[in-house]
Amino acid sequence: MFTTRPELLGTFGMVASTHWLASSAGMAMLEAGGNAFDAAVAAGFTLQVVEPHLNGPGGDVPIIFHAAGADETRVVCGQGTAPAAATIARFQDMGYDRIPGGGLLAAVVPGAVDAWLMMLRDYGTMDLPTVLAPAIHYAGGGFPLVPRIPSAIRRVEKLFATEWTTSADVWLPGGEVPAANSLFRWPSLAATYERLSGSAKGKAREAGIDAARSEWREGFVAEAIDRFCRTYEAIDVSGNRPTGLLTGDDMAGWQATYEAPLTFDYRGLTVCKTGPWGQGPVFLQQLALLKGFALDRMDPVGADFIHLVTEAAKLAMADREAYYGDPDFVDVPIDTLLSPGYAGRRRTLIGDEASLQLRPGMPTSNPPRLANLPPPADEERALADQFGLGEPTQVDEDAEVKGDTCHVDVVDRWGNMVSATPSGGWLQSSPVIPELGFCLGTRAQMFWLQKGLPASLGPGRRPRTTLTPTLVLRDGKPFMSLGTPGGDQQDQWSLTLFARLANHDLNLQQAIDLPMFHTDHAPSSFWPRQAKPGVLAVEDRLPPSTLTELDRRGHRLHHRGDWSLGRLSAVIRQETENGIILKAGANPRQMQGYAVGR
């Protein structure tokens, strides 16, 4: 089978990510003697620089890893929480029926930096100046702008020039959108990284990292965020110009945490995901449903395979809408949702025709409650279109791709493995904080402003994020990590990749290159939270017979071009009779993601 690039094979280490510079930065740490945790952190900070339209220091990151020395698999929750002042009543008093997708009101505590630093301290081997060096190099010395960065800036050019002028100071040098592939310098962000790095110098490794964490949560970073949110009036889709709710006390009161992963066994493999504060259990629920079908006997690009995977996704995502939320605040019946009995009952709903209904189940005696929102007002949509507010959107020649973000996977020669999906704080999220050089994220748009829902807004709560890395074990040992950008599509594209690998004789790159699909059936997690019942997005490389049959079954096909869906990457650690072989693959779509290794 033709592949766009080889499946990488080696024994030393592998890094795969959504940008070649991040993959190379991670590999540099491995070459210098570092482990997978050092590599992942270096790659993660580099992604904040070279993919600024998709993530930033003001964003979030969930991480799943396996530590070989401790023989443990854990989740790092780098998802910050809602500010203490963020209440449903406050938003409603301001006239909002949904949290806007841009501006300062949607900011939660930025969690990515603290999460990366905590993991580096506890599981890495290198000091902070070493792992921050690539990000400082690219921010201060310059990095080439991939074409989608100027495209993103162009969408918000008017907003920056007329309203969010602190962002114009960074992203419109000389008052112009920078050219694609031009060298771009970001000195204000480089200075922030330098200050964090400098706070660690002259100290023992762990103490230096903790000093940087303190600067972030309670020092110059928190002070600048507090001051900016209190004083800057930022327009959003409502046309209002509110100040922010996030404070220095919110920053000081939160830090990243470790959790046990949720798991599900499928065909001899154990899939590990985050808890229901993310959409990760959707992947596991899909597996529970698909366990009752012989996918290994189906063509991985055939109508039967795509129909079953799609219908399982619809059912799992309906449960996401009805039951997922921060388990520190709501009782999520996750054990029942992943149980064989519940999956068996739900599986009977999958018929030969495409469902056009949102059908959550009843894992408890209480009927499901779903949010009910009318479409946004015409004035809001007009402002969003005019200024480019809302969900991050990448425009390709073939298609418009919503909900994009970043991903990185690493495996080293000692058996450590990391999967991380950093996102949020993209350059079009909110105005740049001048003293820091970056903006805050808008993850709070994933809360509902209706009371009594699992994902309702509340102070100190985690939004039910879409970010969802995946790590797979075989016999308790790390076997594969994988993931993709893509908002609500993440657990669909990742599930499809995994299902194809687990059920068919494909190598990693072959499975990544195969034509992809996803459904937009469930309500979007992003403003304005609308659904497209029955819509199935497909790459046109799928066989014509497959597309014809899917159409006959009632799927509302949305043709998205030949190479438009998914930005998957993955690494594998395979035990053989002669030793361990490491593998890696990365997505060719958008000509940006790369795997490196040896």
Side-chain angles (χ1 to χ4, degrees):
M1 180 188 297
F2 169 81
T3 58
T4 57
R5 55 187 72 171
E7 177 189 55
L8 301 188
L9 303 175
T11 59
F12 180 81
M14 296 284 168
V15 185
S17 83
T18 48
H19 198 293
W20 67 88
L21 291 178
S23 298
S24 297
M27 193 67 198
M29 299 300 116
L30 296 183
E31 295 286 3
N35 64 18
F37 302 101
D38 302 312
V41 175
F45 277 102
T46 300
L47 285 171
Q48 292 176 2
V49 179
V50 300
E51 289 198 293
H53 55 316
L54 304 175
N55 83 136
D60 339 276
V61 63
I63 308 168
I64 306 180
F65 67 82
H66 185 88
D71 194 24
E72 62 180 359
T73 305
R74 304 183 81 181
V75 169
V76 178
C77 178
Q79 177 54 65
T81 55
T87 64
I88 291 175
R90 183 157 187 170
F91 275 88
Q92 290 177 340
D93 288 345
M94 290 189 287
Y96 293 94
D97 64 354
R98 71 201 87 202
I99 297 176
L104 293 175
L105 286 179
V108 298
V109 177
V113 169
D114 193 64
W116 287 125
L117 296 185
M118 182 184 74
M119 186 179 73
L120 177 67
R121 181 197 65 187
D122 296 340
Y123 292 92
T125 65
M126 292 179 160
D127 61 20
L128 183 58
T130 300
V131 299
L132 267 181
I136 293 171
H137 169 80
Y138 289 119
F143 64 98
L145 294 174
V146 295
R148 287 166 188 84
I149 298 175
S151 174
I153 297 171
R154 195 167 291 110
R155 278 178 55 93
V156 289
E157 179 181 5
K158 182 178 180 181
L159 172 68
F160 286 4
T162 61
E163 292 282 350
W164 297 358
T165 55
T166 59
S167 295
D169 293 340
V170 173
W171 298 111
L172 297 174
E176 301 291 335
V177 176
N181 300 315
S182 64
L183 194 66
F184 185 86
R185 290 179 175 86
W186 196 350
S188 53
L189 179 61
T192 294
Y193 287 153
E194 287 277 16
R195 288 189 68 176
L196 291 174
S197 179
S199 69
K201 291 179 179 177
K203 301 179 177 67
R205 194 186 77 87
E206 292 84 356
I209 295 170
D210 278 338
R213 295 178 72 198
S214 294
E215 283 291 350
W216 180 268
R217 296 201 315 267
E218 302 171 85
F220 77 96
V221 175
E223 291 169 0
I225 289 173
D226 182 283
R227 185 165 51 249
F228 190 77
C229 287
R230 281 189 288 104
T231 59
Y232 196 92
E233 298 177 350
I235 195 170
D236 59 34
V237 292
S238 70
N240 298 325
R241 293 173 176 80
T243 55
L245 302 178
L246 189 64
T247 68
D249 287 342
D250 294 319
M251 294 285 293
W254 182 90
Q255 59 183 302
T257 55
Y258 294 110
E259 299 178 2
L262 290 176
T263 63
F264 190 84
D265 293 334
Y266 181 85
R267 294 181 67 88
L269 301 171
T270 301
V271 179
C272 304
K273 299 292 288 186
T274 69
W277 51 268
Q279 72 172 355
V282 162
F283 189 120
L284 306 183
Q285 285 196 252
Q286 290 177 83
L287 285 182
L289 293 164
L290 294 171
K291 208 169 184 178
F293 299 98
L295 295 185
D296 56 329
R297 299 178 186 176
M298 300 178 190
D299 182 348
V301 294
D304 287 342
F305 180 93
I306 294 174
H307 174 76
L308 286 173
V309 169
T310 298
E311 295 305 299
K314 291 177 182 178
L315 293 174
M317 294 184 79
D319 281 346
R320 181 195 75 173
E321 292 302 300
Y323 301 110
Y324 290 17
D326 187 343
D328 290 343
F329 290 85
V330 296
D331 183 16
V332 182
I334 196 66
D335 290 341
T336 303
L337 291 171
L338 297 177
S339 67
Y342 182 76
R345 295 192 298 274
R346 298 283 280 160
R347 194 180 298 123
T348 63
L349 297 177
I350 299 178
D352 293 333
E353 302 294 320
S355 171
L356 302 182
Q357 298 177 332
L358 189 66
R359 300 180 292 176
M362 280 188 61
T364 70
S365 58
N366 298 319
R369 271 198 72 193
L370 295 171
N372 183 21
L373 274 181
D378 292 341
E379 295 82 2
E380 287 183 296
R381 283 197 177 277
L383 192 61
D385 291 339
Q386 179 185 12
F387 281 149
L389 298 168
E391 183 176 5
T393 301
Q394 303 306 299
V395 180
D396 289 335
E397 292 181 3
D398 295 327
E400 185 176 83
V401 181
K402 291 184 177 291
D404 223 335
T405 181
C406 310
H407 186 77
V408 60
D409 297 295
V410 187
V411 62
D412 65 27
R413 62 191 186 275
W414 299 291
N416 299 302
M417 185 175 283
V418 181
S419 181
T421 309
S423 185
W426 42 74
L427 68 86
Q428 59 273 45
S429 295
S430 61
V432 163
I433 302 169
E435 301 97 316
L436 303 177
F438 63 83
C439 63
L440 296 170
T442 55
R443 193 64 57 183
Q445 67 183 290
M446 295 178 176
F447 286 116
W448 294 105
L449 294 181
Q450 295 173 252
K451 294 181 180 179
L453 300 173
S456 295
L457 174 66
R461 293 192 181 196
R462 290 173 284 187
R464 197 274 301 145
T465 180
T466 54
L467 306 177
T468 174
T470 306
L471 193 141
V472 182
L473 307 174
R474 173 174 279 166
D475 299 324
K477 302 296 182 183
F479 172 67
M480 176 168 59
S481 77
L482 68 150
T484 177
D488 294 293
Q489 289 80 52
Q490 288 180 33
D491 278 312
Q492 297 188 62
W493 295 335
S494 293
L495 180 282
T496 298
L497 173 65
F498 175 81
R500 285 169 167 169
L501 287 169
N503 288 283
H504 300 93
D505 185 19
L506 298 167
N507 74 33
L508 190 50
Q509 194 62 46
Q510 289 171 338
I512 289 173
D513 282 355
L514 282 179
M516 189 52 74
F517 59 91
H518 72 262
T519 179
D520 293 319
H521 180 79
S524 170
S525 298
F526 295 87
W527 186 95
R529 311 303 301 269
Q530 301 302 293
K532 298 177 182 178
V535 168
L536 178 62
V538 293
E539 289 188 336
D540 290 329
R541 294 182 297 124
L542 285 165
S545 59
T546 296
L547 296 174
T548 298
E549 177 61 14
L550 290 170
D551 181 70
R552 188 194 68 79
R553 295 189 185 194
H555 295 280
R556 297 172 175 172
L557 299 185
H558 184 186
H559 295 267
R560 299 288 293 273
D562 285 349
W563 295 89
S564 58
L565 303 179
R567 292 179 65 203
L568 289 151
S569 67
V571 298
I572 284 176
R573 178 182 182 273
Q574 184 172 358
E575 296 187 9
T576 72
E577 293 182 358
N578 297 323
I580 304 296
I581 294 179
L582 306 181
K583 304 179 180 182
N587 172 59
R589 299 161 179 88
Q590 299 189 17
M591 296 181 290
Q592 190 173 311
Y594 258 88
V596 296
R598 68 174 178 86

